[in-house]
Amino acid sequence: MQKLFNPFSDFKFENTTCFLTGQVLNSRDESIHVFPLWVMRAFDLEDKPLKMLDETITSYKKLQLPCATAVASQLDELESRIETAAKQGYEAMRQLDQLSLFQWVGKILYGVIFNEIQAGIRQAFLAGESLNFSQALVHKFQNLHAMLQSVTTSMEFEHKNPFTILVVPVDNAADTFSYRDEINTLVFSFRMNDFALIATLQGNGVHEVYHEEVLKKIEGKVLHPIQFEELCARYFYSAYLFNRLPEYTFMEVSGNFYVEPMPLNDWTLKPIFDQWQSKTYGQVLENFWKPWGYTLFEIIKDPEKPMTFMTDENGEFLADIDLPRE
């Protein structure tokens, strides 16, 4: 019987074994960049500073993953497809399948997680302490890593995908590059060319239901960047309000893995999302709207109706926005 590799069982995150399969590597040169090389080169990111959770500063190009040559070539093939579509723009990105987009986003997000864990292990060792890690986070990261093995293993997601990657058209300024992730809630956004995407990696599609009203309003519309950032703020905040720890069963049958999400409704009968608080949402939105300088005070002047660029006073999509794109 085939088994999925689980580095979280003994917390071994060494550079001597492949991050995805666990196989022992022949040399330390067997590694890949966390952030795609084409992205780093296109936006001159290689030496740009990146702050880790422990406050240390690294650079985009220094974030790497130990990776067996055979796995690297499979990821290269995936990367090549994403790069081609991203450079063509929205229509090409929209036509990519959800699994490919998940694998691409998941590898970046897991790569950040892997490097954060390595930094945490080093820090704990230097302090002479054991690594203190939230079991809920381990559970999420373990599921993400297991699903990411769909790159190298035959895997089918039954009934519904755990992940949703929303691709929307955006009227971006030339040379736009915007990337955000939140590893605690497994949400990710990326904006370039004439498109942007938001990925929720373990919500089983509930965020799309939660934001159904606004998603209907923007359907078929090209967004101004401030509108996309508002949509991002809503997603990042709802990921924070999401109060379930999704469970998945992984069943192996004749070399195929079948992944099934367990129902999110539980015996507590609590709503799936905690209560939306305008002030907290306003703080999130203020952060996403930094390029345009709106303050929390302006955003929640009317706490019942926080500021929005999605719709006008009649609730219709706001098509004309007289603001710079960045």
Side-chain angles (χ1 to χ4, degrees):
M1 183 185 282
Q2 215 179 333
K3 268 189 150 184
L4 293 173
F5 169 51
N6 177 13
F8 294 90
S9 58
D10 54 6
F11 252 78
K12 284 207 167 164
F13 293 85
E14 293 160 354
N15 291 325
T16 51
T17 55
C18 176
F19 85 98
L20 198 57
T21 62
Q23 69 192 84
V24 177
L25 301 177
N26 295 319
S27 93
R28 290 180 78 91
D29 293 334
E30 285 187 272
S31 68
I32 57 170
H33 291 285
V34 169
F35 289 92
L37 206 52
W38 67 268
V39 170
M40 291 194 289
R41 285 181 177 161
F43 301 103
D44 197 22
L45 297 175
E46 288 169 281
D47 296 309
K48 290 261 172 73
L50 200 65
K51 189 187 269 191
M52 305 292 280
L53 290 177
D54 64 359
E55 300 293 312
T56 57
I57 303 291
T58 183
S59 65
Y60 280 83
K61 75 175 178 192
K62 280 186 182 164
L63 283 195
Q64 302 213 350
L65 282 166
C67 185
T69 306
V71 176
S73 63
Q74 286 173 291
L75 285 166
D76 278 347
E77 190 273 323
L78 169 71
E79 198 62 67
S80 176
R81 279 190 289 123
I82 302 290
E83 179 185 2
T84 301
K87 286 179 175 173
Q88 286 173 5
Y90 168 69
E91 283 301 331
M93 285 297 288
R94 188 173 65 89
Q95 284 166 34
L96 287 170
D97 63 284
Q98 286 274 301
L99 181 59
S100 295
L101 286 168
F102 160 73
Q103 290 168 340
W104 185 72
V105 169
K107 171 250 171 181
I108 297 172
L109 204 54
Y110 184 76
V112 172
I113 290 165
F114 182 95
N115 278 269
E116 292 284 12
I117 290 174
Q118 277 196 333
I121 291 170
R122 275 195 304 273
Q123 210 173 26
F125 177 75
L126 291 171
E129 298 166 356
S130 57
L131 185 65
N132 186 14
F133 216 83
S134 150
Q135 285 309 300
L137 277 184
V138 168
H139 185 82
K140 288 186 200 177
F141 296 166
Q142 196 170 298
N143 281 332
L144 172 62
H145 184 265
M147 292 172 199
L148 198 51
Q149 288 173 68
S150 57
V151 170
T152 56
T153 309
S154 176
M155 195 174 283
E156 282 184 40
F157 294 90
E158 299 202 283
H159 306 305
K160 64 171 69 169
N161 287 337
F163 44 84
T164 309
I165 291 86
L166 175 71
V167 183
V168 292
V170 183
D171 180 26
N172 290 315
D175 299 329
T176 288
F177 171 75
S178 175
Y179 156 81
R180 270 192 178 90
D181 66 42
E182 176 48 76
I183 63 174
N184 291 331
T185 53
L186 298 183
V187 61
F188 174 107
S189 73
F190 180 81
R191 182 159 65 87
M192 67 169 280
N193 201 343
D194 66 345
F195 73 90
L197 60 82
I198 303 174
T200 47
L201 299 191
Q202 278 173 44
N204 300 353
V206 293
H207 294 278
E208 283 55 51
V209 177
Y210 192 69
H211 297 293
E212 186 176 24
E213 191 180 335
V214 74
L215 291 176
K216 277 185 176 164
K217 293 261 164 69
I218 67 170
E219 198 173 342
K221 308 286 197 301
V222 177
L223 302 185
H224 185 286
I226 202 169
Q227 292 175 314
F228 176 72
E229 294 301 330
E230 181 179 331
L231 186 64
C232 269
R234 293 179 189 221
Y235 266 81
F236 274 64
Y237 183 48
S238 70
Y240 165 77
L241 294 177
F242 182 56
N243 64 26
R244 295 292 194 274
L245 190 59
E247 299 273 358
Y248 302 94
T249 59
F250 291 82
M251 186 184 292
E252 190 263 348
V253 180
S254 309
N256 283 337
F257 282 91
Y258 296 89
V259 184
E260 185 175 0
M262 298 285 94
L264 291 173
N265 291 321
D266 62 15
W267 58 271
T268 65
L269 301 179
K270 271 195 342 181
I272 289 172
F273 291 92
D274 290 333
Q275 189 74 33
W276 184 281
Q277 305 285 346
S278 288
K279 186 177 179 185
T280 314
Y281 165 65
Q283 288 167 332
V284 176
L285 189 54
E286 181 185 32
N287 188 38
F288 279 79
W289 276 357
K290 267 188 183 155
W292 298 275
Y294 289 101
T295 64
L296 177 62
F297 176 74
E298 290 171 284
I299 291 167
I300 58 162
K301 209 170 188 175
D302 178 354
E304 298 305 309
K305 277 184 156 185
M307 192 175 176
T308 178
F309 278 100
M310 286 296 190
T311 51
D312 60 22
E313 59 274 13
N314 302 316
E316 297 301 316
F317 177 75
L318 200 57
D320 295 313
I321 296 176
D322 187 20
L323 281 173
R325 288 179 295 174
E326 293 297 333

